[in-house]
Amino acid sequence: MSNAPLVQTRENDLCVEDLPLARIAAEYGTPCYVYSKALLTRAYNDFAAAFPERNTLVCYAVKANSNLAILNLFAKLGAGFDIVSEGELQRVVAAGGDPRKTVFSGVGKRAAEMRSALEHDILCFNVESEPELLRLADVARDMRRRAPVSIRVNPDVDPKTHPYIATGLKTNKFGVAFAEARTIYQMASALPSIEILGIDCHIGSQITDVAPFGDALDKVLELVDELAKDGISLHHIDLGGGIGIRYKDEAPIALSEYAATLNARLVGRNYQMIFEPGRSLVGNAGLLLTRVEYIKQGGDRRFAIVDAAMNDLIRPALYEAYHEVVSVAPRAGQTAAVYDIVGPVCESGDFLARQRLLAVESGDLLAVLSAGAYGSVMSSNYNTRPRPAEIMVDGRSSHLIRARESVRDLYAHEKTLP
């Protein structure tokens, strides 16, 4: 994955690729999300090339950013997809993605979702519990199909990340307990409507230490060898995603180090390797562009009140996540001051950043960086606020890839009482 910056200054203009952000704001308004096609392409290609000696499939985690233009770009580059709902499956299909390169994760798959996925001939279900396995077997039997599965195993490895995005501990809702996995595989092998393809694990997100990935693979391979003794042979190992990105001062894992850590454990093993990166492909390829509405002094705090809010980017309010904020047109010669950057939503928790040193005035544009993952996709209409437009930059060109919602859009499906 490239460490190339999303924004750079060209002739005193802060740009994404070769397009000034001020021009994007003038054409599309604010707030809006802005993505770089070049960085998205480079991030995918770097990941896809990380294991040249192995049969690999990169299944982009749709939940990170499900815009059709981004899915279509990755599909054209050869990506598969990791989905967690029928809605995401329909997005993959609408974007030109291949269901036969799609894995279906998630703890709460409904029977109707299972039927739809089987009708689309998806690659594999990542099964996360015994009840789910039995339901899937019933659905597949009724359809006179065999459902391809891997069991998502919970290796109880601490990924050393935020507790809300750790998924491989025994206290998490995901996957099956390591001690129970062998029994569930034996159960699956006895079900005529189930076809065992592989094994799956995903330990969390925004991981910046390679050691947990190696520890998780060690546990998975231990189980693989036990299954072989039971006569259960596997076609693939799915190690999920989780590689972190730089938001502030993190030191992300180099793909070469990641590949070396895994390859050292896979010597003599010829399984197809499936990966489910999300944030690492899109996170640093997008930003949220917003305009300062007011500068306000409140006691001993200064506030820059902007037109974006927690409904547009919820990560700071939800996780206390850090996003770098930069001025699109820095004010030369003006003394900087410390600001909380807050939105107009009627919540004390509505902030994008706290205690940032900036030289800003009302009307200035700010760029909230590293917002390509879990940004627009987690946005809401709280306070009846239309969700922002989304823009893809390609060199000197821009493309509207999601129109800004109107207020009428928000209540189009509502009805008053007679």
Side-chain angles (χ1 to χ4, degrees), residues 255-273:
L255 281 175
S256 58
E257 182 184 8
Y258 178 69
T261 297
L262 302 185
N263 280 330
R265 292 162 166 80
L266 292 167
V267 174
R269 299 177 185 267
N270 296 316
Y271 303 103
Q272 181 187 41
M273 300 301 298

Side-chain angles (χ1 to χ4, degrees), residues 150-171:
S150 62
I151 306 297
R152 178 170 173 175
V153 177
N154 184 335
D156 198 26
V157 168
D158 185 358
K160 300 179 175 63
T161 188
H162 192 287
Y164 285 8
I165 51 178
T167 59
L169 297 171
K170 61 184 178 183
T171 54

Side-chain angles (χ1 to χ4, degrees), residues 134-353:
L134 296 175
R135 175 182 289 182
L136 179 59
D138 288 344
V139 170
R141 183 195 62 229
D142 292 345
M143 295 177 65
R144 301 180 184 273
R145 300 283 296 270
R146 295 188 74 203
V149 306
S150 62
I151 306 297
R152 178 170 173 175
V153 177
N154 184 335
D156 198 26
V157 168
D158 185 358
K160 300 179 175 63
T161 188
H162 192 287
Y164 285 8
I165 51 178
T167 59
L169 297 171
K170 61 184 178 183
T171 54
N172 300 132
K173 70 177 181 178
F174 301 98
V176 303
F178 186 83
E180 300 170 7
R182 189 175 181 182
T183 299
I184 295 176
Y185 267 102
Q186 292 168 342
M187 178 187 302
S189 70
L191 295 169
S193 57
I194 295 294
E195 178 186 9
I196 298 173
L197 288 190
I199 189 169
D200 170 55
C201 86
H202 178 73
I203 59 174
S205 187
Q206 187 52 20
I207 301 168
T208 55
D209 179 2
V210 75
F213 291 111
D215 294 343
L217 181 55
D218 286 338
K219 296 289 289 289
V220 166
L221 292 175
E222 177 185 331
L223 181 56
V224 167
D225 291 339
E226 292 297 316
L227 294 176
K229 295 175 184 177
D230 297 332
I232 299 173
S233 60
L234 306 179
H235 174 264
H236 72 247
I237 296 175
D238 183 341
L239 289 180
I243 294 179
I245 65 172
R246 181 177 292 109
Y247 286 100
K248 185 180 182 182
D249 53 9
E250 300 92 340
I253 300 165
L255 281 175
S256 58
E257 182 184 8
Y258 178 69
T261 297
L262 302 185
N263 280 330
R265 292 162 166 80
L266 292 167
V267 174
R269 299 177 185 267
N270 296 316
Y271 303 103
Q272 181 187 41
M273 300 301 298
I274 296 178
F275 301 97
E276 301 168 1
R279 186 193 315 265
S280 62
L281 299 191
V282 298
N284 282 333
L287 60 81
L288 176 61
L289 185 61
T290 184
R291 189 178 297 277
V292 178
E293 295 288 347
Y294 302 100
I295 299 296
K296 175 181 177 179
Q297 184 77 37
D300 60 354
R301 311 272 291 199
R302 289 186 182 91
F303 298 95
I305 303 171
V306 298
D307 60 4
M310 64 183 292
N311 73 291
D312 304 308
L313 179 64
I314 199 172
R315 294 189 73 255
L318 182 62
Y319 304 126
E320 296 189 349
Y322 179 97
H323 287 264
E324 185 178 356
V325 179
V326 297
S327 295
V328 170
R331 292 180 170 270
Q334 179 173 324
T335 302
V338 175
Y339 292 92
D340 285 359
I341 301 161
V342 301
V345 159
C346 195
E347 296 284 346
S348 296
D350 177 25
F351 69 95
L352 300 179

Side-chain angles (χ1 to χ4, degrees), residues 81-135:
F81 297 94
D82 165 46
I83 62 170
V84 294
S85 71
E86 182 181 6
E88 289 188 348
L89 175 58
Q90 291 186 19
R91 279 184 172 272
V92 167
V93 173
D98 187 351
R100 294 169 297 179
K101 295 165 68 174
T102 297
V103 296
F104 194 166
S105 306
V107 300
K109 304 178 188 72
R110 295 177 291 111
E113 293 180 302
M114 293 174 173
R115 285 192 291 272
S116 177
L118 285 168
E119 289 167 352
H120 282 92
D121 198 23
I122 68 164
L123 173 63
C124 193
F125 292 87
N126 289 336
V127 171
E128 306 218 15
S129 67
E130 179 183 329
E132 179 191 331
L133 174 67
L134 296 175
R135 175 182 289 182

Side-chain angles (χ1 to χ4, degrees), residues 21-32:
L21 285 170
R23 191 180 304 171
I24 292 174
E27 182 172 355
Y28 300 104
T30 57
C32 66

Side-chain angles (χ1 to χ4, degrees), residues 56-70:
T56 61
L57 176 63
V58 178
C59 291
Y60 167 65
V62 174
K63 62 182 176 290
N65 189 321
S66 60
N67 187 283
L68 292 189
I70 291 175

